[in-house]
Every structure is written in C-alpha cells, then in structure tokens.
Amino acid sequence: MSVISADPPHKIIGVAVIWNEDQQILIDRRLPEGVMGGLWEFPGGKLEPGETIEECIQREIKEELGIEIEVGKHLITIDHTYTHLRVTLTVHHCRLITGIPQALECDAICWVNLDELENFTFPAANSEIIAALKQG
C-alpha cells in the first residue's frame, strides 16, 4: 500500500534585493512559459545541497543576471504555500559590485525605485518582501 502525500514540494529559495548607487532595486520578469510566467520578481533561486544561503544568492545572480553582488543584511524570511509549491524565501539586501545586469534566464530586467514596485505584478509571496522594504 502506498501513501500519497497531499503536501506540495518544498523549495528553499535565496532572494536578492539588489540596490544600485541610485538607491534603485533590480527586479526581473519571469519567462512567459511555466507557472507564474510573466510575473515580476526579486532575483534568486533554489538552495543547492552544501551551500549557504549567501552562496546560493551569489551563484544564482551570477547565473541569471551575469553580475557580481555583495550579499548583505538579512531582510525577511517568508514561508508561503501556493497550490503547487511551498517556498521558504530567505531575502537579503545586496549590492551590485561589478557588471551590467543582463536578462540571461529571465524575460526582462528593470531598475525601479521603492515606490514604483506597486506598479508591477509579483507572485503573492513577494508582497511581504515589498512590505518589509517599505517599513525600512
């Protein structure tokens, strides 16, 4: 007899809130295909076995955007369950060190001011990140 779990899969995600010298934040738009396609997000990705969350964030940003960042202070950790997936988002403030961001694994990228974030459509879990940023 097999037991079928109703729990969705769980992913631990390192998320970067990348700031530039003009106090703007880098966001990217997910590729149109797939779940949550076309929505905007803060860049990052899945934690791999054996790496720290800081290493995860640096690796993912290099792979997705082609830039080097410094991972700074922890902002917030969010547990969110979608119908298809449970995520734990570990979010850090980051600073651009070198390179020009490129849309290597996403549809588009955009530097925005904090008060412009509400003009973009994000996945539900990201609303808590935006709220934490606005609280300062």
Side-chain angles (χ1 to χ4, degrees):
M1 179 176 159
S2 64
V3 177
I4 299 172
S5 172
D7 293 331
H10 179 226
K11 289 185 182 177
I12 298 171
I13 310 289
V15 179
V17 176
I18 304 169
W19 298 87
N20 67 13
E21 293 175 359
D22 297 323
Q23 293 305 299
Q24 293 175 310
I25 300 167
L26 187 65
I27 58 174
D28 66 63
R29 188 170 58 215
R30 298 170 68 96
L31 294 169
E33 57 274 356
V35 178
M36 295 188 280
L39 297 179
W40 289 87
E41 66 183 357
F42 298 95
K46 189 171 70 130
L47 182 70
E48 297 292 341
E51 70 182 352
T52 66
I53 203 74
E54 292 83 1
E55 291 166 340
C56 166
I57 292 170
Q58 287 180 316
R59 175 185 52 76
E60 287 284 348
I61 299 309
K62 181 76 173 165
E63 290 173 3
E64 292 179 10
L65 302 169
I67 57 174
E68 300 283 342
I69 59 165
E70 175 185 57
V71 178
K73 193 174 120 199
H74 174 258
L75 173 66
I76 190 172
T77 298
I78 299 162
D79 278 306
H80 187 87
T81 303
Y82 296 99
T83 54
H84 65 287
L85 178 69
R86 181 175 153 235
V87 293
T88 300
L89 305 177
T90 303
V91 187
H92 281 259
H93 288 285
C94 299
R95 183 176 63 86
L96 176 64
I97 297 176
T98 59
I100 297 170
Q102 304 164 60
L104 300 176
E105 294 185 9
C106 56
D107 195 43
I109 54 175
C110 187
W111 288 104
V112 298
N113 294 315
L114 184 55
D115 59 0
E116 295 174 314
L117 287 172
E118 59 213 26
N119 300 332
F120 297 85
T121 305
F122 286 85
N126 284 241
S127 62
E128 292 183 58
I129 300 171
I130 295 168
L133 286 168
K134 289 188 175 187
Q135 287 175 355

